[in-house]
Each structure stands twice: as C-alpha cells, then as structure tokens.
C-alpha cells in the first residue's frame, strides 16, 4: 500500500500533520504532494519546519489565481504525479481548492480517495469551500467524519454507511501534540503583549473581498476595543492585507495588525485571549478545544457543534451585532465539552488505512499505464 497525501494550504498542513506522523509511526508507505496553493514562508514552510514534517516529494507550485485557473492547474499537475506514482489511494483534508483537485484527479483515475474532515456543511453555496466539500465527499470512498453529526449529514446525502468512519477531528490531535510545547514559548513577550487582548482572524472570500462586510468587521472590532479598553490583535492573512490596501480601509490604533504567526505562537495567542473573533473554520474548533469563547464573523457555520456546546456564537459582520455577541460571550464563561474527539483521530484513520481497506476492495485494471477502477 502506498498513499499520496495531498495538501496545499496552512490548515491542511496543520490538520494533516497528525496523520503524517501516524503514517510514519505505523510504517505506512506514503508521500506528500503539495499543490503550492499557499507558498509564502509564514503560510507554508514554517509549519513543515515547526511540526517536523518531511519535505513534500512533489510541489506543483501552482500559486494564486482565479478558482478555475488555480484548480485546473492543480488537477493537471496532480494527475501527472498520480499516473507516475500509481498510489493505491490518496488522502485529502478539508475544503480548499487543493482538496477538490486532489479528490477529482484521483477518482477519475480510479484511485481511491479518503477525505479527512468529511461531512461538514454550511449549506451556503456562495462559499467556495461548500462546493469543494460536497464534491470531495461525493468523490470519496472513505469519509473520515469528525463527529456523529457530520456522519448523519453524509448518510442523508445517500453515502453508504460502510464508507463513513467517525474519527474525531485531527485538529484535536494537533492541539494535544503541540500545546505543551507552545506554552513553553515566550510568545506574548516576543510580541510585546503586556495586557488583556482580543484575538482576531478574518480571511474568508465572502467577508474580505466584500468592502461592505470587511468594513463592518473592522468597525465592529474598533467599537469593541473602545468599549472594553482592550486592544485587538489581528494576525492578518495575505488575502485580507491585500484587500485593506485595495479598498483603502483605515485601521485605527486599537487594532494591531501583525503578520501571520506560526502554529505554536498562534496556540499561545488563542489560549491567552479574553475572546477570539474569527471567520476561520479551524479557529472555531481550536477555541472550543482550548476553552476560549469565540465569536464567529459569519452568518452560518459548518461547525454547529461549537454553537451547541456554547463555545461559539454567530455574529455576522454588522458592527452592533459583533459588539453585542462579544459582550454575551464574555459573560458566558468557558465551561463546555469538546465535541471534536479525544485526540486519536489520526490513529483511527491510520487503522482504516492499515487494514488495507483503502486499496483492494474494488478490482483495478490497467489502461494506457493508468489504473482504472472497475466496480
Ligand atoms: C484558502 C482556502 C480557504 C482556507 C484558506 C486557509 C480555497 C477556495 N480557499 O483561502 O478555504 O480557509 O486557504 O488560509 O481554497 N496569498 C499569499 N501567500 C500565500 C497564499 C496566498 O500572499 O502563501 C495571497 C494571494 O494574494 C492570494 C490570496 O492570498 O491571491 C488568496 O489565496 P488563496 O489560496 O486563493 O485563498 P485563501 O484566501 O488563502
Ligand atoms: N493559524 C496559524 N497562524 C495564524 C493564524 C492561524 O498558525 O496566524 C492556524 C490556526 O491555529 C488554525 C489554522 O491556522 O489551525 C486555521 O487556518 P485558516 O484560518 O487559514 O483556515 P481555515 O481553518 O479557515 O480553513
């Protein structure tokens, strides 16, 4: 059995890291195919270095571009590698264009697909991530659902139960594996943070590419900071920085923009924040795991478990709502159960992989040097 682990962005590197470690631990043959969707040092290589991951065997260097252009380049590049390497299966994680291209390229070659973090739905088709999730799930042979809720979503969409494995979310593994080391780092001193602060991340296309929504977020953060007399720290995603410049959005002194930080520093920033405001998927999960209240700057979420346990609330992007939701969350306390598992998701995924389930269930024929699956 040989596996291609396909990844390309910051959250995929972080959330696949426990799976890669598990493959190493269990001596499961694998190689990493990086699409190059993220390429800046602080969005990509820093995580390989910090998490001690092996180098990618292939990097397609596709870089940034319009959705069709970016996904098309990936599809072409991934297909070439898969035809050359002929892996028994590929693993993808999450909902990015890399995931869509990886799943699609593999399924069309008759190579089995395992989707880590399957079954998440925002039911908002304006989000590119929602399209990517649905298509990846329906191209997959092995769906690693983080919770029973995500499993039920898949069942309702007609996916056979035999393909679905509830594993927990690998982000719990990643947090457990790194939190202790993170706590030993002197992040707050290094960033010269000497007082309480709110932490923010916002990078979603539907938020930051829309001047009205992005301006609403910034106005809400400024009001919040004024009301509590607490600064806002915003490690800013490159997409968002670009839009601030393009739209000429003015940021006053209460919001401190810093470059994206590494995973250990970010875990430290999250753990010590009074409150986190975000439109990130991974950050909604991490705050829930770490016991830090979260306000989500979106109208919906594919992580409803966080709302149900009470760690998170949906504020949208209207300034008044942002402040009101933040006030509510600050009063709510931080006692809830983590719904995303026990930190053994990668172990469970490894078990399914190792059991050989992913390679030999269907017959495979050779065509033109390509593997074609025959049911
Ligand atoms: C992508 C994912 C999103 C995920 C996010 C994680 C899709 C459709 N979107 O969004 O789901 O939450 O990654 O962070 O796949 N840029 C850099 N350096 C980089 C990468 C990007 O400067 O290393 C800039 C470029 O200007 C680029 C922009 O960021 O145009 C957006 O990058 P892109 O990968 O297209 O989407 P993300 O917003 O990162
Ligand atoms: N993260 C990080 N540095 C930062 C901001 C975020 O390491 O400056 C990590 C964070 O801990 C989480 C992941 O990046 O694990 C989330 O990625 P992102 O918000 O880019 O994507 P999403 O989860 O929304 O797809």
């Amino acid at each position: 059995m040989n596996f291609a682990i396909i990844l390309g962005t910051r959250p995929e590197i972080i959330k696949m890291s426990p799976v890669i470690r598990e493959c190493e631990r269990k001596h499961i043959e694998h190689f990493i195919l990086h699409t190059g969707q993220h390429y800046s040092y602080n969005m990509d290589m820093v995580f390989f270095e910090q998490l001690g991951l092996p180098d990618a065997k292939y990097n397609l260097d596709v870089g940034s571009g319009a959705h069709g252009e970016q996904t098309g380049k990936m599809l072409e590049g991934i297909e070439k590698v898969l035809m050359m390497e002929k892996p028994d299966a590929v693993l993808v994680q999450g909902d990015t264009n890399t995931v869509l291209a990886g799943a699609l390229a593999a399924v069309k070659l008759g190579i089995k697909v395992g989707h880590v973090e399957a079954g998440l739905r925002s039911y908002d088709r304006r989000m590119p991530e929602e399209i990517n999730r649905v298509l990846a799930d329906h191209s997959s042979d092995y769906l690693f659902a983080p919770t029973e809720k995500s499993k039920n979503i898949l069942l309702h969409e007609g996916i056979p139960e035999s393909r679905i494995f509830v594993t927990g979310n690998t982000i719990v593994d990643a947090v457990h594996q790194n939190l202790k080391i993170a706590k030993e780092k002197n992040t707050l001193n290094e960033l010269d943070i000497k007082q309480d602060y709110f932490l923010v991340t916002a990078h979603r296309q539907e938020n930051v590419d829309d001047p009205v929504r992005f301006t609403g977020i910034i106005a809400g953060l400024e009001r919040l900071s004024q009301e509590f007399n607490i600064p806002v720290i915003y490690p800013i995603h490159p997409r968002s920085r670009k839009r601030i410049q393009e739209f000429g959005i003015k940021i006053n002194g209460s919001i401190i923009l810093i470059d994206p930080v590494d995973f250990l520093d970010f875990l430290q920033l999250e753990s010590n924040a009074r409150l986190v405001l975000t439109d990130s998927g991974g950050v909604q999960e991490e705050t829930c795991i770490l016991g830090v209240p979260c306000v989500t700057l979106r109208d919906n979420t594919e992580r409803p478990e966080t709302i149900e346990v009470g760690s998170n609330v949906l504020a949208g992007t209207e300034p008044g709502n942002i402040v009101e939701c933040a006030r509510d969350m600050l009063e709510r306390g931080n006692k809830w159960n983590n719904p995303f598992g026990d930190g053994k998701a990668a172990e469970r995924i490894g078990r399914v992989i190792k059991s050989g389930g992913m390679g030999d269930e269907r017959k495979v024929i050779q065509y033109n040097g390509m593997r074609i699956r025959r049911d």
Side-chain angles (χ1 to χ4, degrees):
M1 293 289 289
N2 184 20
F3 288 86
I5 294 181
I6 301 179
L7 45 72
T9 67
R10 169 169 75 185
E12 293 161 68
I13 303 166
I14 293 171
K15 287 179 165 177
M16 270 301 198
S17 65
V19 177
I20 296 168
R21 283 214 188 94
E22 188 64 14
C23 285
E24 285 174 339
R25 205 170 69 83
K26 291 246 177 80
H27 305 291
I28 298 169
E29 206 186 325
H30 65 283
F31 65 93
I32 300 174
L33 194 179
H34 193 319
T35 60
Q37 178 171 349
H38 283 180
Y39 46 85
S40 301
Y41 176 77
N42 59 13
M43 297 296 288
D44 171 22
M45 194 44 80
V46 68
F47 300 105
F48 277 85
E49 289 172 3
Q50 189 169 66
L51 299 170
L53 300 176
D55 287 344
K57 184 165 181 187
Y58 300 92
N59 191 322
L60 303 176
D61 286 324
V62 298
S64 308
H67 284 274
E69 179 194 0
Q70 189 184 52
T71 313
K73 279 185 192 162
M74 290 180 196
L75 205 48
E76 196 181 340
I78 294 169
E79 184 175 66
K80 282 197 182 117
V81 173
L82 296 182
M83 285 173 69
M84 200 159 62
E85 287 275 353
K86 300 184 174 50
D88 297 287
V90 309
L91 284 176
V92 290
Q93 191 287 330
D95 54 21
T96 64
N97 287 345
T98 291
V99 174
L100 173 62
L104 206 51
V107 73
K108 293 237 174 189
L109 289 174
I111 297 172
K112 289 203 168 189
V113 180
H115 186 200
V116 178
E117 204 178 73
L120 275 62
R121 296 288 180 271
S122 67
Y123 299 105
D124 181 352
R125 291 284 176 125
R126 291 168 306 175
M127 295 177 68
E129 292 85 358
E130 183 72 358
I131 311 294
N132 294 342
R133 287 180 200 118
V134 172
L135 295 175
D137 281 342
H138 286 264
S139 306
S140 292
D141 301 86
Y142 289 83
L143 295 102
F144 298 110
T147 64
E148 286 294 333
K149 193 177 265 296
S150 33
K151 174 179 176 175
N152 284 329
I153 288 174
L154 296 169
L155 289 175
H156 277 111
E157 291 180 10
I159 292 178
E161 190 164 11
S162 57
R163 292 191 195 174
I164 308 170
F165 302 84
V166 178
T167 57
N169 195 309
T170 59
I171 193 63
V172 183
D173 310 28
V175 169
H176 286 183
Q177 287 165 12
N178 293 288
L179 191 58
K180 198 164 160 272
I181 321 168
K183 290 209 161 135
E184 283 155 15
K185 275 195 92 180
N186 214 357
T187 306
L188 300 191
N189 268 347
E190 276 163 26
L191 292 170
D192 204 22
I193 301 172
K194 297 194 171 66
Q195 60 184 114
D196 274 359
Y197 59 90
F198 299 126
L199 179 68
V200 172
T201 78
H203 72 277
R204 291 274 161 205
Q205 176 180 299
E206 66 275 13
N207 276 344
V208 304
D209 286 12
D210 177 341
V212 175
R213 289 182 73 87
F214 202 5
T215 310
I217 291 176
I218 298 295
L221 297 176
E222 285 173 353
R223 272 199 222 169
L224 180 67
S225 176
Q226 264 161 18
E227 180 171 322
F228 287 86
N229 198 21
I230 291 181
V232 170
I233 300 192
Y234 182 0
I236 188 163
H237 189 289
R239 172 193 283 276
S240 316
R241 193 181 278 283
K242 212 162 123 188
R243 296 297 176 248
I244 283 185
Q245 279 152 9
E246 256 173 51
F247 300 149
I249 297 175
K250 296 272 171 297
I251 308 279
N252 79 23
S254 60
I255 303 179
I256 301 159
L257 297 185
I258 60 173
D259 284 336
V261 296
D262 62 40
F263 187 49
L264 297 180
D265 282 341
F266 196 74
L267 283 178
Q268 269 282 48
L269 281 177
E270 277 179 306
S271 309
N272 291 294
R274 281 284 298 277
L275 175 80
V276 176
L277 300 102
T278 191
D279 63 9
S280 156
V283 176
Q284 289 175 65
E285 293 159 352
E286 283 166 0
T287 47
C288 184
I289 297 160
L290 293 167
V292 178
C294 179
V295 170
T296 290
L297 304 165
R298 288 175 44 191
D299 306 319
N300 51 54
T301 179
E302 58 294 314
R303 273 93 176 167
E305 295 88 347
T306 59
I307 310 282
E308 284 161 16
V309 299
S311 71
N312 186 17
V313 69
L314 294 176
T317 58
E318 198 278 316
N321 280 346
I322 294 174
V323 177
E324 202 177 312
C325 288
R327 233 184 264 130
D328 285 355
M329 285 309 291
L330 284 165
E331 280 168 14
R332 202 183 269 187
N334 60 354
K335 292 270 174 289
W336 52 75
N337 290 325
N338 156 31
F340 295 115
D342 56 3
K344 294 186 177 155
E347 208 178 299
R348 293 190 184 94
I349 293 166
R351 226 176 285 138
V352 174
I353 293 177
K354 188 118 200 211
S355 70
M358 290 188 71
D360 57 8
E361 196 181 85
R362 297 179 194 186
K363 290 204 166 54
V364 168
I365 56 170
Q366 297 287 329
Y367 170 74
N368 246 358
M370 288 166 47
R371 294 165 59 86
I372 302 291
R373 187 172 63 208
R374 196 179 54 194
D375 284 310

